[in-house]
Amino acid sequence: MAEKLIKQGKAYVDDTPPKQLNDQRMDGIESKRRSNSVDENLKLWKEMIAGSERGLQCCLRGKLDMQALNKSLRDPVYYRCNPVPHHRIGTKYKLHPTYDFACPFVDSEEGITHALRSSEYHNRNAQYHRIQEDMGMQKVLIYEFSRLNMVYTLLSKRKLLWFVQNGEVDGWDDPRLPTVQGIVRRGLKIEALIQFIVEQGASKNLNLMEWDKLLTINKKIIDPICPRHMAVLAKQREITYASRIWIDYDDAELVSVDEEVTLMDWGNAIVKEIIKDQYGNITELVGVLHLEGSVRTTKLKLTWLAETIELVNLTLVEYFYLIKVRKLEKGQDEGEHFTKALNSCTKKETAAIGDCKNMRHIKQGEILQLERRGYFRCDVPFNEPSKPMVLIEIPNGRRRLTDFEVSQGGAKASIKEAESNSSQKEK
């Protein structure tokens, strides 16, 4: 097709340096090569095909209209030489078509009747149809829709590549990236993404969408099917009761002496003593069971783990937005100016412990819920006691992903049994 256009005088080979070529297009100045003969163009075209030193200096341009108000019609580039091996066909070809040239050809060649294109290509629609007209191919109708934009999110592949190449993320499947692999690893279901897109519909209005709706749809999908945990399985699990248990440090700070609390899936207990170290940090709570107490009367419902040797280390990972602004303003979107809007902290890891007896069965990719903490996706399952399981928190839309809260460790609580027959038992 390229040779056909050259022979018809609708394309020519140009060796104008790239920067000068772009400047001439902006100013409406014709290239000196625009008037080359067909034979001269075919000669240089063969040099391009061979990938010779001379060919590498050239590109193939369409001969459209250098005075057009729509600058996309000012002799756009159709082919460029690229000696770098292609990831699929290697070095078979030394030149490749540009996106602007390939799309109208492929769409018409494959019998497409209506091309769905985002509105960012609106100024290129005239170029799209002009190329099809010059090639003598069937005209494809274009239906435009607006590009989906999300708050605090970069969707430009060029900008996302910058994060990957500079080691700001762990790869294209990093949960902080808005790639399909990234959001799936974050714990979002493909069904939720499809439902979200279908509900938005095709609109020509520019939209800046919140993540809340997508996260809410995802929660409705995973909530009925994921098992509940208290760092141990909460449904159909073995519960180990012991005289010494672990509770969250944040919970320990809320407890008062002589306060009655509820130990979830066990019963009530009364805190008799709060022990602190020389710096004022809580190290231990001492209490007695009060199993006949009502859970309705207690203010605090605490998750807990029995202090046994069958514990597994957990790493709870929480991710945040890569940028700290809802949308890049004009000027921030150019070059690498967007780096000034980067979030200083986008990842938080919290150490935790779980019941090895139950959590060893969780597989990579499975979704679970930790009571009073939220939903998580297993990124690294239990393999050996020395290595922690890694659970990635699934955002649910209830709080902003830019929030960063520093949490503390855990506190140990000991319980003096009120009844001798409940000193340590297993269910």
Side-chain angles (χ1 to χ4, degrees):
M1 181 57 71
E3 288 190 12
K4 177 182 176 181
L5 293 176
I6 293 174
K7 293 176 180 179
Q8 293 176 345
K10 296 178 180 179
Y12 62 97
V13 177
D14 193 1
D15 61 357
T16 303
K19 185 179 185 308
Q20 182 182 347
L21 187 152
N22 290 332
D23 291 341
Q24 288 179 344
R25 289 191 68 204
M26 293 299 101
D27 298 334
I29 301 174
E30 293 185 1
S31 167
K32 295 179 180 179
R33 298 293 184 182
R34 197 174 198 268
S35 58
N36 277 1
S37 66
V38 171
D39 290 339
E40 179 65 18
N41 284 324
L42 288 175
K43 179 181 177 181
L44 292 174
W45 172 247
K46 291 179 180 179
E47 295 287 342
M48 290 181 64
I49 294 176
S52 66
E53 183 178 352
R54 178 64 175 138
L56 293 176
Q57 299 172 350
C58 302
C59 67
L60 181 69
R61 298 176 65 181
K63 189 182 290 187
L64 305 186
D65 183 0
M66 284 299 292
Q67 304 306 316
L69 295 179
N70 184 338
K71 295 181 181 180
S72 72
L73 293 172
R74 296 183 180 180
D75 293 8
V77 175
Y78 287 173
Y79 273 86
R80 286 193 178 96
C81 285
N82 187 352
V84 177
H86 190 272
H87 67 285
R88 288 184 178 175
I89 58 177
T91 58
K92 183 177 180 180
Y93 300 106
K94 305 296 190 300
L95 75 170
H96 299 278
T98 60
Y99 185 84
D100 286 339
F101 182 75
C103 283
F105 174 79
V106 173
D107 288 350
S108 185
E109 178 71 13
E110 294 185 348
I112 302 298
T113 59
H114 294 73
L116 306 182
R117 285 162 55 110
S118 57
S119 55
E120 63 189 289
Y121 296 106
H122 177 77
N123 291 336
R124 282 179 158 77
N125 290 349
Q127 178 199 86
Y128 179 94
H129 288 135
R130 174 62 186 275
I131 292 174
Q132 289 178 340
E133 180 183 337
D134 284 354
M135 291 188 294
M137 304 186 75
Q138 176 185 345
K139 181 179 179 180
V140 178
L141 299 178
I142 294 176
Y143 182 86
E144 291 184 335
F145 59 91
S146 65
R147 179 176 175 173
L148 178 66
N149 295 299
M150 308 293 290
V151 296
Y152 299 104
T153 305
L154 298 174
L155 293 172
S156 164
K157 292 187 289 293
R158 178 177 57 82
K159 293 182 175 63
L160 297 181
L161 179 63
W162 180 91
F163 284 94
V164 175
Q165 291 180 336
N166 287 275
E168 296 291 334
V169 295
D170 299 328
W172 288 104
D173 65 343
D174 189 288
R176 288 165 288 192
L177 293 182
T179 59
V180 174
Q181 288 181 325
I183 63 175
V184 167
R185 190 176 168 203
R186 189 79 177 268
L188 272 72
K189 291 290 189 179
I190 294 295
E191 306 95 284
L193 183 60
I194 294 175
Q195 184 178 335
F196 174 74
I197 296 299
V198 170
E199 290 184 5
Q200 300 313 304
S203 171
K204 294 185 179 181
N205 298 323
L206 296 178
N207 296 314
L208 185 63
M209 302 298 297
E210 300 283 348
W211 281 91
D212 296 5
K213 186 173 183 179
L214 173 58
L215 299 178
T216 299
I217 293 173
N218 190 67
K219 179 182 177 183
K220 290 180 180 179
I221 293 176
I222 65 177
D223 183 73
I225 60 175
C226 71
R228 270 59 177 174
H229 292 67
M230 293 189 304
V232 292
L233 292 171
K235 286 187 177 181
Q236 298 180 350
R237 75 178 191 276
E238 292 184 352
I239 303 177
T240 300
Y241 301 97
S243 59
R244 296 180 68 85
I245 63 174
W246 286 94
I247 66 173
D248 286 339
Y249 188 91
D250 291 343
D251 289 339
E253 289 187 309
L254 300 175
V255 178
S256 303
V257 175
D258 294 328
E259 181 178 2
E260 186 167 354
V261 298
T262 296
L263 301 176
M264 296 182 66
D265 283 351
W266 191 349
N268 286 4
I270 300 175
V271 178
K272 293 298 185 179
E273 184 181 1
I274 299 177
I275 301 175
K276 300 182 179 181
D277 62 17
Q278 57 181 332
Y279 304 105
N281 298 315
I282 300 175
T283 59
E284 191 173 359
L285 303 179
V286 179
V288 295
L289 284 175
H290 186 228
L291 298 181
E292 62 272 21
S294 173
V295 298
R296 297 180 180 179
T297 61
T298 58
K299 182 174 65 173
L300 297 178
K301 274 71 175 178
L302 311 181
T303 54
W304 56 276
L305 274 177
E307 186 186 16
T308 68
I309 59 173
E310 294 182 329
L311 296 177
V312 59
N313 292 321
L314 307 176
T315 299
L316 308 182
V317 185
E318 187 177 2
Y319 291 101
F320 307 91
Y321 290 125
L322 291 173
I323 58 175
K324 56 188 176 183
V325 294
R326 289 174 59 85
K327 180 183 178 182
L328 292 180
E329 300 298 332
K330 188 175 182 180
Q332 287 182 308
D333 201 34
E334 300 174 358
E336 293 190 0
H337 292 295
F338 71 93
T339 58
K340 297 179 181 179
L342 299 187
N343 225 347
S344 59
C345 186
T346 60
K347 182 179 181 180
K348 171 186 173 185
E349 295 185 353
T350 303
I353 53 176
D355 184 353
C356 181
K357 186 183 299 185
N358 294 286
M359 302 201 75
R360 71 175 62 177
H361 304 297
I362 299 175
K363 300 177 181 179
Q364 183 181 25
E366 289 188 351
I367 292 177
L368 54 133
Q369 181 183 9
L370 298 184
E371 296 284 1
R372 299 171 62 232
R373 286 194 176 276
Y375 301 93
F376 292 81
R377 178 184 181 276
C378 179
D379 196 50
V380 178
F382 175 81
N383 291 315
E384 51 186 276
S386 61
K387 296 183 178 180
M389 291 181 62
V390 179
L391 304 179
I392 295 178
E393 183 179 25
I394 304 173
N396 57 20
R398 288 187 176 181
R399 67 187 183 91
R400 295 172 54 198
L401 298 183
T402 48
D403 294 341
F404 184 82
E405 301 169 355
V406 178
S407 64
Q408 301 186 57
K412 187 184 295 184
S414 64
I415 297 177
K416 296 179 179 178
E417 302 289 358
E419 299 177 2
S420 60
N421 63 351
S422 61
S423 59
Q424 184 172 345
K425 58 183 178 180
E426 293 189 356
K427 180 180 179 181

